[in-house]
Amino acid sequence: MIFIAVRFTTRPDVADAWLEHVADFTNATRSEPGNLFFDWSRGVDDPNQWVLLEGFADDEAGAKHVASDHFKAGLATMGELIASTPEIIHVNSPELQGWGPMGELAR
């Protein structure tokens, strides 16, 4: 599985509408066969910050995502709306297969 976390700091004038601006990109990515999850969260301490957690089944799924037209369009859209360079964590781990249960709070 490929796990990616990206932290975006948006321009203040677009922060409230961020999800609307990235809706096409989000929906298209979630429809990809190799996409496991693609989830946005808004920062608690900074309302101009958004975090994207995304997972892809394998290298092939990740490569198809990056080569897609909606990825290129999404980058173009986001590039106009960010206040600074996004920060990323990218992990490729064959052992991971997506979300699993949290043992400390298992029911």
Side-chain angles (χ1 to χ4, degrees), residues 43-78:
V44 174
D45 297 324
D46 182 351
N48 299 324
Q49 197 166 76
W50 288 88
V51 175
L52 172 62
L53 300 179
E54 49 188 313
F56 295 92
D58 51 30
D59 288 334
E60 181 181 354
K64 286 181 180 179
H65 171 64
V66 172
S68 70
D69 289 339
H70 60 267
F71 179 82
K72 294 169 191 159
L75 289 183
T77 297
M78 292 183 290

Side-chain angles (χ1 to χ4, degrees), residues 19 22-41 51-56 65 70:
L19 291 179
V22 298
D24 289 343
F25 174 52
T26 299
N27 293 331
T29 301
R30 287 177 175 167
S31 296
E32 294 175 18
N35 179 257
L36 303 174
F37 53 89
F38 196 84
D39 299 325
W40 292 99
S41 298
V51 175
L52 172 62
L53 300 179
E54 49 188 313
F56 295 92
H65 171 64
H70 60 267

Side-chain angles (χ1 to χ4, degrees), residues 7-19 21-22 40 42 46-51 78 80-86:
R7 187 166 35 198
F8 297 86
T9 301
T10 67
R11 296 188 340 239
D13 61 310
V14 298
D16 289 340
W18 179 257
L19 291 179
H21 290 289
V22 298
W40 292 99
R42 194 167 193 178
D46 182 351
N48 299 324
Q49 197 166 76
W50 288 88
V51 175
M78 292 183 290
E80 297 293 322
L81 305 175
I82 56 175
S84 60
T85 302

